[in-house]
Amino acid sequence: MKSQNCFCLKDEGNKHFQAGDIDKAIECYTKAIKECKDKNTLAVIHRNRSACYLKKENYASAASDASKAIDIDAADIKALYRRCQALEKLGKLDMAFKDVQRCATLEPKNKTFLETLRRLGAEIQLKTTFSTDSRVQNMFDILLNEEMEKDKREKAANNLIVLSREDAGAERIFQNNGVPLLLNMIETGKPEMILAAIRTLSGMCTGHKARAMAIIHMVGVDKMCSIMAIDNEEIALATCNLFQCINDSLTGGDSREYGKEEALVLDASKDLKTILLSLLEMVASKKVSGHGRDQALNLLTKNVPRKDRKDKNNSRTLFTIDQGLKKILKVCGQVPELPDQLPLTENTQLIASVLLNKLYDDLTCDPERNNFRDVCDEYIKYVHRTLHAVNVISGLLQGPFDVGNALVGHQGIMEMMVALCGSEREVDQMVAVEALIHSSTKMSRASFIITNGVSLLKDIYKKTTNERIKIRALVGLCKLGSAGGDDYSLRQFAEGSTEKLAKQCRKWLCNPQIDTKTRKWAIEGLAYLSNDADVKDDFVEDELALKAMFELAKSRDKTILYAVACTLVNCTNCYDKKEIIPELVQLAKFSKQHVPEQHPKDKKDFIEKRVKRLLKAGVTSALAVMVKADSSILTDQTKEMLARVFLALSEDARDRGTIVAQGGGKALIPLALEGTDTGKVKASHALAKIAAVSNPEIAFPGERMYEVVRPLVSLLHTDREGIQNFEALKGLTNLAGYSEKLRKKIVKEKALPDIENYMFEEQDQIRQAATECMCNLVTCKEVQDRYLEDGNDKMKLLVLLCGEDDDKLQIAAGGALAMITAAQKKLCTKLTRVWLEILQRLCLHTNPNIQHRGIVIVYNMLNSDDNELAKKLIESEMLEILSVIGKAADNPKRQEVIDAARAYYFSLLLTNGNNQIETN
């Protein structure tokens, strides 16, 4: 009765609406809603009442009624459009846009919907623009108002920086007089205001060539250099980042199309040259702070040498040598202990040495290298017989060693260094001893010093009361004592001498009363001495010394990075070792040639113990901090050593959890993406080891888990070692099993062809790992599409792998077949003629995991659209096999298989569609 009354009231309401009596229509619809029990009818009534409310301009009620109709039927196009109209009038343009967008999707040719969609889109864009403009102005008002609360100003500064990192936001700031306002912020002289302004400018310059060029001219290169010259590390670093953003945008970081005017309007060569000259001026200027000088040198190191040696143009390097080599040498020659020197940090001179090395390495021919040497030689002659000259040579020996070594070989240079060691002035001794240390890198030069300088260094060590000189003399002795490397038969000093030197180094290292710069030299000494197995074994047993070294590695002094990395490489024995061939050893002995000998403590069990001790002392957290060093001092060679150490640490699967917990997983990613080829491979291998056994979300949180894929895929190349292929496949298997997004990333990195190739591999473990990886990937639509392509034998390979005798391989191949045939019924028809025999073997297998996969494959084939395939199954022995399995007594260990067989057996009966088959 109520249902009939409902329909009557609805019809009556419709008549009133058509007659224009909206109030009466609303009254009837309201009564009908109370009476109605049918959901579909209720949706229509709510939709109709929504139209009434629109007429009465009661937009909130109109939206509400339309929403109730949509809740019942999400595709109710009339209700969607009425809600869109109501929401537009209520000012909720975003929500209205979504509703009309849905309408246009349902009826793509409806002109009313398309016109409304276009109009709302334009209104939203306009509203957003005005809103952004007012927000930008409001932020500047807050920032430049000194009476405003500190918290509000900080929030406004952060909002401005965030807004500048989006292209639309950066453009709004630029168009709303943003650059002059940012300059006003800089002029306040307040560090927090300067930082906010510089970071905002960096965002505005990123990836936009035209805007970056405009900002250069509005702010001025000299102004930016003067800001970077301020004695504030954070400001210097932020300004360095601004210069880098500008450089990247001007040299290819902007992918926009500017049309015909690009060559004329956007010629950046003059601006780039101006920036380069300004940075070179900063290098040797007394007005520049140590932090500013560091960042100028860092920018030159990063942007002057070619990034790709295939690029023939090294004109920037030649220009820098011509205009600035002597200025860089001047920085190397500074002696901070003397008056009237350039402001420096503890890192400046080593950064300058790194730059010199990069410039020299970027030269392409002998005339260019000869010119570099001539400029250096000319400069040494200009400052001849001064501490400045000796320090310049030290800087060259830490950079382009061949150039420094050639200068040391000049008549009188080595003699001057030895003479300065005997000077009564302590600063002379300190500079000379450091130069001797750096010059004894090559064994031939070390032999000269052993003959001429060891007694002198011993005298300095014994007689001086200055700890700073004493420790340097000790490091000189350490370096000379380690000239034979890890060759046990080439010890330079008497038995036990190196252990005594190392003990003294550890004592200084653990003494917090000594300044950081001096304690750093203790690690330098250990870096040399730890070639000796006795020394490194004693060192890792000294937990206090280890922790002291790790704390120094985390300090602001980045000159220590290389020494710490060397020490750790020695302690873990992860340097390259030449394979010793017994026949050649015998031949060498017969011909009385030198044969390297391995120390007993350099054997595997001793190395493993040292690794455990390092992990216990917290080596991973120290390595993670070292990797983050934002400085040219973290050279590609240092990165390679850190990667080697990480690989050695992750050798034992039981230790990988500790490495992950201390941030090792995150730290490895940049090492795998940047550095030497060897370093990238080692880091990628360590990543593969961790990825194979760790939860990706914990080991590589956030977006980092997607960054891991590329290094792992790089290990699949055929020129990599088998163990690297295997562990990369295991790591990718784990990642592929984690999420669909990771599977798509693996496919995007073009890993599939390599994974498929390794499924043919003769080596059993690699073949199994590749099949397991494919098993986890087949749920991805892109992978399924590859299997669906005409003319490939991918399904045949999976079937054949199911027929192998290896249980693990059968589980992986069977799992892949089961999942892919469930997802794509068409693939069931691609199974080859040999499938039946192999499938029967799977279903009869003693391993329940394999047996279950076989039964699932059978079920998928039955449910395919291929009737002939189902008929063949029914005519085969498959029905009898399923019957036997299904009739087995319940067994907890095999219950899953038995239940599946029972269910699929009855499915077979139904498929046959008659009662001719007996069930007994």
Side-chain angles (χ1 to χ4, degrees):
M1 188 68 186
K2 281 191 174 182
S3 178
Q4 289 179 352
N5 196 25
C6 165
F7 280 110
C8 290
L9 288 166
K10 184 187 78 142
D11 291 341
E12 191 179 341
N14 290 347
K15 289 175 184 177
H16 285 305
F17 182 82
Q18 288 167 4
D21 194 347
I22 305 302
D23 290 331
K24 283 277 183 75
I26 292 172
E27 187 180 331
C28 289
Y29 289 141
T30 304
K31 288 178 182 178
I33 288 167
K34 291 176 183 177
E35 297 284 337
C36 190
K37 297 298 180 186
D38 181 65
K39 280 190 175 180
N40 291 329
T41 307
L42 197 60
V44 174
I45 298 169
H46 276 299
R47 185 179 70 200
N48 290 353
R49 194 170 68 169
S50 175
C52 294
Y53 284 133
L54 280 172
K55 292 277 187 183
K56 298 292 289 182
E57 298 184 5
N58 185 350
Y59 301 118
S61 297
S64 176
D65 263 354
S67 295
K68 287 171 184 174
I70 293 163
D71 288 343
I72 296 169
D73 181 6
D76 188 335
I77 200 161
K78 288 184 178 179
L80 281 165
Y81 190 64
R82 282 170 191 167
R83 189 170 70 176
C84 162
Q85 291 173 304
L87 290 170
E88 181 185 358
K89 294 295 184 181
L90 291 168
K92 298 177 180 179
L93 298 183
D94 289 349
M95 294 169 71
F97 183 82
K98 287 178 184 177
D99 279 345
V100 76
Q101 197 172 39
R102 175 75 174 141
C103 292
T105 305
L106 294 169
E107 287 189 16
K109 294 183 179 179
N110 188 308
K111 291 182 179 179
T112 303
F113 296 159
L114 294 173
E115 175 58 28
T116 307
L117 190 67
R118 184 200 61 74
R119 180 173 51 76
L120 285 178
E123 285 181 25
I124 289 168
Q125 181 64 41
L126 190 63
K127 185 179 176 183
T128 304
T129 302
F130 283 124
S131 173
T132 305
D133 289 349
S134 60
R135 279 171 56 210
V136 168
Q137 190 57 53
N138 187 42
M139 286 177 211
F140 280 117
D141 289 342
I142 292 169
L143 286 165
L144 295 169
N145 184 354
E146 294 186 5
E147 295 178 3
M148 191 61 69
E149 295 171 19
K150 186 180 178 183
D151 289 348
K152 287 186 177 179
R153 295 175 76 180
E154 285 179 2
K155 188 176 180 181
N158 290 331
N159 288 341
L160 197 63
I161 294 164
V162 170
L163 189 65
S164 71
R165 289 171 183 165
E166 297 173 6
D167 189 57
E171 189 60 26
R172 297 322 306 161
I173 295 171
F174 186 77
Q175 295 293 344
N176 280 273
N177 202 36
V179 177
L181 290 169
L182 289 167
L183 283 170
N184 290 344
M185 288 170 62
I186 292 168
E187 292 303 321
T188 63
K190 295 178 180 178
E192 66 276 9
M193 297 287 276
I194 296 172
L195 272 174
I198 293 298
R199 287 170 178 164
T200 302
L201 287 169
S202 297
M204 292 168 69
C205 291
T206 300
H208 199 297
K209 188 175 183 179
R211 197 160 54 225
M213 290 181 70
I215 287 170
I216 290 171
H217 293 284
M218 292 172 80
V219 178
V221 175
D222 289 342
K223 180 66 178 178
M224 287 189 271
C225 287
S226 69
I227 297 166
M228 194 162 76
I230 295 171
D231 190 13
N232 182 304
E233 187 175 7
E234 214 174 352
I235 290 173
L237 188 60
T239 315
C240 172
N241 184 56
L242 170 58
F243 271 118
Q244 191 60 53
C245 291
I246 290 170
N247 183 80
D248 291 345
S249 293
L250 299 191
T251 56
D254 183 1
S255 57
R256 287 173 180 77
E257 294 289 337
Y258 287 99
K260 295 178 181 178
E261 290 130 15
E262 179 171 7
L264 180 65
V265 179
L266 299 180
D267 181 11
S269 56
K270 288 183 180 179
D271 290 328
L272 288 168
K273 185 178 178 181
T274 302
I275 291 171
L276 179 55
L277 285 168
S278 298
L279 291 174
L280 289 171
E281 281 300 316
M282 285 186 74
V283 166
S285 170
K286 284 190 176 182
K287 296 178 182 178
V288 177
S289 69
H291 297 302
R293 201 177 319 280
D294 284 0
Q295 298 309 331
L297 290 165
N298 277 331
L299 283 165
L300 292 168
T301 304
K302 190 170 182 179
N303 297 305
V304 171
R306 292 167 295 164
K307 291 179 175 65
D308 184 359
R309 291 302 168 89
K310 292 178 184 176
D311 180 7
K312 302 289 185 184
N313 183 10
N314 67 338
S315 57
R316 284 171 68 85
T317 296
L318 297 176
F319 181 81
T320 302
I321 290 169
D322 183 49
Q323 298 292 321
L325 180 54
K326 290 183 179 179
K327 293 171 183 173
I328 302 165
L329 292 172
K330 181 179 179 180
V331 173
C332 289
Q334 298 300 294
V335 183
E337 290 76 13
L338 295 179
D340 200 32
Q341 302 294 296
L342 297 175
L344 307 174
T345 70
E346 58 271 19
N347 301 317
T348 308
Q349 289 175 297
L350 188 53
I351 297 173
S353 294
V354 171
L355 173 56
L356 290 171
N357 192 49
K358 292 259 188 184
L359 293 173
Y360 188 72
D361 282 349
D362 198 44
L363 300 176
T364 57
C365 58
D366 286 341
E368 289 176 1
R369 284 184 275 272
N370 289 336
N371 176 61
F372 187 98
R373 293 191 197 100
D374 290 344
V375 174
C376 294
D377 191 26
E378 184 184 325
Y379 188 80
I380 291 294
K381 287 175 182 175
Y382 173 70
V383 293
H384 190 50
R385 294 196 178 280
T386 64
L387 284 182
H388 192 75
V390 177
N391 243 14
V392 170
I393 292 171
S394 281
L396 287 165
L397 288 166
Q398 292 174 83
F401 181 83
D402 291 342
V403 177
N405 200 36
L407 290 171
V408 171
H410 286 187
Q411 186 176 4
I413 296 292
M414 183 59 78
E415 290 75 10
M416 179 177 70
M417 287 160 60
V418 173
L420 283 170
C421 285
S423 167
E424 293 182 3
R425 198 166 68 152
E426 288 178 346
V427 68
D428 293 348
Q429 292 181 6
M430 189 162 63
V431 170
V433 170
E434 285 186 21
L436 281 174
I437 292 167
H438 298 311
S439 64
S440 58
T441 297
K442 294 285 174 76
M443 276 195 67
S444 58
R445 185 63 57 192
S447 301
F448 172 86
I449 298 173
I450 287 170
T451 306
N452 298 279
V454 170
S455 57
L456 186 60
L457 288 171
K458 284 182 177 178
D459 284 344
I460 293 172
Y461 177 69
K462 289 175 182 176
K463 292 177 183 178
T464 186
T465 56
N466 188 317
E467 292 282 355
R468 297 170 70 194
I469 296 172
K470 200 179 195 71
I471 198 167
R472 285 164 172 77
L474 177 67
V475 171
L477 292 170
C478 291
K479 190 170 184 180
L480 298 174
S482 65
D486 67 344
D487 187 347
Y488 187 48
S489 62
L490 276 182
R491 288 190 165 199
Q492 300 291 335
F493 295 152
E495 187 76 34
S497 296
T498 50
E499 286 92 319
K500 288 178 182 175
L501 290 171
K503 188 176 180 181
Q504 184 58 52
C505 283
R506 297 205 311 271
K507 184 180 175 183
W508 270 320
L509 179 59
C510 295
N511 187 352
Q513 304 301 318
I514 300 174
D515 66 274
T516 301
K517 193 173 181 181
T518 304
R519 289 168 68 203
K520 176 196 79 174
W521 282 95
I523 300 175
E524 291 273 357
L526 288 167
Y528 301 127
L529 292 177
S530 54
N531 278 308
D532 186 296
D534 287 316
V535 169
K536 52 190 164 192
D537 224 48
D538 291 342
F539 180 45
V540 296
E541 290 297 322
D542 189 344
E543 194 169 341
L544 284 175
L546 281 178
K547 288 185 174 179
M549 182 175 78
F550 297 155
E551 285 304 312
L552 283 176
K554 297 174 186 177
S555 69
R556 290 170 60 184
D557 186 350
K558 301 306 174 188
T559 59
I560 203 168
L561 295 179
Y562 187 81
V564 174
C566 281
T567 306
L568 292 173
V569 165
N570 291 338
C571 288
T572 54
N573 283 53
C574 55
Y575 39 74
D576 288 329
K577 307 172 195 71
K578 290 183 180 178
E579 186 182 353
I580 297 174
I581 303 169
E583 293 81 2
L584 291 180
V585 171
Q586 293 301 321
L587 186 63
K589 286 181 178 177
F590 179 76
S591 59
K592 296 183 180 179
Q593 296 294 314
H594 170 69
V595 179
E597 293 179 21
Q598 186 185 42
H599 194 289
K601 290 184 178 179
D602 273 333
K603 291 181 179 175
K604 189 176 179 181
D605 54 339
F606 281 95
I607 297 169
E608 288 173 354
K609 286 178 185 175
R610 289 201 288 269
V611 166
K612 302 287 184 190
R613 295 287 299 180
L614 287 168
L615 284 166
K616 185 182 176 184
V619 65
T620 309
S621 59
L623 289 170
V625 173
M626 292 166 73
V627 170
K628 291 177 185 174
D630 187 17
S631 170
S632 303
I633 294 174
L634 185 64
T635 60
D636 289 347
Q637 289 72 27
T638 307
K639 288 178 186 175
E640 181 184 320
M641 288 193 287
L642 296 178
R644 287 176 180 275
V645 175
F646 266 122
L647 183 57
L649 296 174
S650 58
E651 199 63 43
D652 188 340
R654 292 169 295 183
D655 295 327
R656 293 171 199 168
T658 305
I659 294 169
V660 168
Q662 296 179 2
K666 293 178 285 185
L668 272 165
I669 295 171
L671 294 178
L673 298 174
E674 297 175 0
T676 64
D677 289 340
T678 302
K680 288 189 284 188
V681 170
K682 299 284 183 187
S684 298
H685 193 183
L687 274 175
K689 286 177 179 289
I690 291 169
V693 298
S694 306
N695 180 339
E697 199 170 33
I698 296 171
F700 317 108
E703 293 297 309
R704 291 187 185 92
M705 71 174 81
Y706 305 105
E707 295 176 37
V708 175
V709 174
R710 184 173 294 174
L712 266 57
V713 172
S714 73
L715 293 180
L716 298 181
H717 296 162
T718 51
D719 57 349
R720 302 284 180 252
E721 297 173 13
I723 186 65
Q724 293 170 345
N725 300 152
F726 172 72
E727 291 187 316
L729 287 166
K730 296 294 281 185
L732 288 170
T733 301
N734 193 21
L735 293 175
Y738 184 73
S739 74
E740 179 66 12
K741 196 173 177 183
L742 273 169
R743 287 189 284 274
K744 287 183 177 179
K745 177 67 175 173
I746 292 169
V747 173
K748 189 179 178 182
E749 291 295 338
K750 300 179 181 176
L752 283 181
D754 288 323
I755 295 168
E756 288 166 353
N757 287 339
Y758 285 120
M759 290 169 73
F760 290 96
E761 177 66 41
E762 291 181 9
Q763 211 281 336
D764 292 342
Q765 287 179 302
I766 293 178
R767 182 173 53 174
Q768 177 199 319
T771 309
E772 288 173 349
C773 189
M774 186 58 71
C775 180
N776 280 356
L777 285 169
V778 291
T779 56
C780 182
K781 182 69 169 60
E782 286 84 349
V783 178
Q784 293 167 14
D785 290 342
R786 284 176 67 88
Y787 276 81
L788 284 166
E789 289 171 3
D790 293 331
N792 70 71
D793 292 328
K794 299 184 196 310
M795 290 295 287
K796 182 179 178 181
L797 173 61
L798 283 177
V799 173
L800 293 174
L801 290 173
C802 286
E804 294 288 331
D805 292 330
D806 185 330
D807 278 15
K808 290 181 177 178
L809 184 59
Q810 284 182 296
I811 288 171
L817 263 181
M819 287 191 286
I820 201 165
T821 52
Q824 298 290 344
K825 291 181 180 181
K826 290 180 182 178
L827 288 172
C828 292
T829 60
K830 281 203 166 198
L831 297 176
T832 61
R833 292 176 184 176
V834 296
W835 64 267
L836 190 57
E837 183 187 341
I838 291 173
L839 206 52
Q840 287 173 350
R841 284 171 57 190
L842 288 180
C843 292
L844 291 168
H845 206 285
T846 55
N847 186 325
N849 290 319
I850 297 172
Q851 195 176 21
H852 187 229
R853 283 160 173 75
I855 293 171
V856 171
I857 296 166
V858 171
Y859 176 75
N860 293 339
M861 292 167 73
L862 281 170
N863 282 281
S864 72
D865 299 327
D866 191 337
N867 293 328
E868 284 297 315
L869 190 60
K871 187 178 177 182
K872 284 181 183 178
L873 276 173
I874 292 166
E875 291 171 352
S876 72
E877 297 173 2
M878 192 59 70
L879 191 64
E880 188 179 343
I881 292 169
L882 292 179
S883 175
V884 171
I885 298 168
K887 286 180 179 179
D890 288 352
N891 181 343
K893 292 182 179 178
R894 308 180 68 84
Q895 197 60 44
E896 195 174 16
V897 175
I898 294 167
D899 290 343
R902 289 170 182 169
Y904 300 162
Y905 173 70
F906 287 113
S907 180
L908 262 174
L909 290 177
L910 291 170
T911 303
N912 194 34
N914 60 53
N915 296 320
Q916 295 174 6
I917 300 173
E918 293 187 11
T919 60
N920 53 353

